[in-house]
Amino acid sequence: MSKALKDIPISVLDLSPVVEGGTVSDSLRNTLDLAQHAEKWGYNRYWLAEHHNMTGIASSATSVVIGHVAAGTSRIRVGSGGIMLPNHSPLVIAEHFGTLESLFPGRIDLGLGRAPGTDQLTAQALRRDRRSDGRSDGRSDGSDFPEQLAELQEYFKPASESQMRVKAVPGQGLNIPIWLLGSSGFSAQLSAQLGLPFSFASHFSPNNTMTALNMYRRYFKPSDVLDKPYAMLGVNVIAADTDKEAERLATSMQQQFLNLIRNTPDKLKAPVDNMDELWTDFEKASLQQQLGSSIVGSPETIKVKLEQFIEETEADELMINAQIYDHKARLRSYEIVSQLFK
């Protein structure tokens, strides 16, 4: 039996975009403003993502921005989508999120990824031990992620259960939900084995969505955290009052991914009237592969496409990403989506 929109919780993924002509300060103010509106409109969570060395993303110090958002809201859950664990000491992440949970009890989520969230040179600059998975070339492929995750989980256990001689203060004994994030099958399988909730990056890896979801659901083992699988899917949704206006707004996101393909990441650009003037046929095809699950249009169009997406994936929750240049248009997009789920 397919789920109705009103039965699906919806959440926000915010990359805290720095727009062309804007500043990081503007972006962080807009992030808090969007979070306050999202709370009012009934969104369930507000997640921020860790990226580095990218001029168009202001959320690199992710736990700091989570504190900024949580302090300016009162009910909505706030968390990471995600913290890239290989970039950090598990003890430091336990202390950061232990502090956030102590400040904002019952409102903090810890979503974890194993990718660096940046280029290889920046990844090396981030890591205290540049041979973090024992590789002599200084590169990390995330292969020690399960061990890092186990260490992090130990820090959160009560003193009577923890095997760690070092204590996370704050952190020890706190119940902070841990999610695994993924864009392939690795995290799907690991979250299934550990009985953890799973969030899949369908917004930029749509072709792997069903394979990962099937793997997660097939191999899921009940745990103290969950008795059955819980899958949240990231999806790009750009809504406006008309299809034409939404399609124009979406060209900012398309330009952003085009710059990533060209290895020239930049600030989020203003929308354009014709993308064919900017991309080659090959680049257009590549973008359609990456952004194939994006849902763009008027409220009527969005509603139909969201219902199809939920029917196909049987998602338990959706996390909406909207890379829109104009802040007022971005707010309007999230407002439209929220109205469809009521």
Side-chain angles (χ1 to χ4, degrees), residues 5 126 168 257 288 291 311 339:
L5 293 187
L126 281 164
F257 273 81
Q288 286 173 340
L291 300 177
E311 185 174 359
Q339 290 169 345

Side-chain angles (χ1 to χ4, degrees), residues 47-221:
W47 278 12
L48 295 132
E50 177 187 347
H51 292 277
H52 300 279
N53 196 28
M54 293 188 181
T55 56
I57 297 176
S59 54
S60 58
T62 315
S63 57
V64 178
V65 187
I66 290 170
H68 170 63
V69 170
T73 53
S74 59
R75 299 182 310 280
I76 195 168
R77 298 193 66 86
V78 189
S80 57
I83 289 289
M84 300 298 122
L85 190 55
N87 293 340
H88 307 280
S89 153
L91 175 60
V92 170
I93 297 305
E95 290 172 341
H96 283 191
F97 279 78
T99 301
L100 288 166
E101 176 64 22
S102 299
L103 288 167
F104 310 104
R107 294 182 56 208
I108 301 299
D109 293 327
L110 176 50
L112 299 169
R114 70 184 184 104
T118 188
D119 59 273
Q120 195 60 51
L121 188 64
T122 307
Q124 289 183 11
L126 281 164
R127 290 173 184 165
R128 70 207 186 284
D129 178 357
R130 299 184 185 185
R131 293 175 291 112
S132 66
D133 2 46
R135 295 176 58 141
S136 59
D137 59 6
R139 294 177 58 207
S140 171
D141 60 5
S143 59
D144 64 343
F145 180 77
E147 290 76 20
Q148 285 189 297
L149 173 60
E151 181 183 340
L152 177 61
Q153 290 176 308
E154 280 292 321
Y155 286 125
F156 288 133
K157 287 182 179 178
S160 59
E161 298 176 19
S162 176
Q163 303 297 312
M164 307 298 287
R165 295 179 65 184
V166 177
K167 295 178 174 59
V169 182
Q172 188 173 71
L174 294 181
N175 181 22
I176 302 170
I178 291 177
W179 292 68
L180 297 194
L181 280 55
S183 58
S184 63
F186 182 96
S187 292
Q189 197 159 5
L190 184 59
S191 53
Q193 289 171 354
L194 299 176
L196 294 174
F198 176 53
S199 180
F200 187 81
S202 189
H203 58 297
F204 67 79
S205 187
N207 293 339
N208 294 327
T209 300
M210 292 314 301
T211 300
L213 286 177
N214 290 338
M215 185 179 295
Y216 173 61
R217 289 164 177 156
R218 179 179 177 184
Y219 294 108
F220 183 86
K221 296 178 181 177

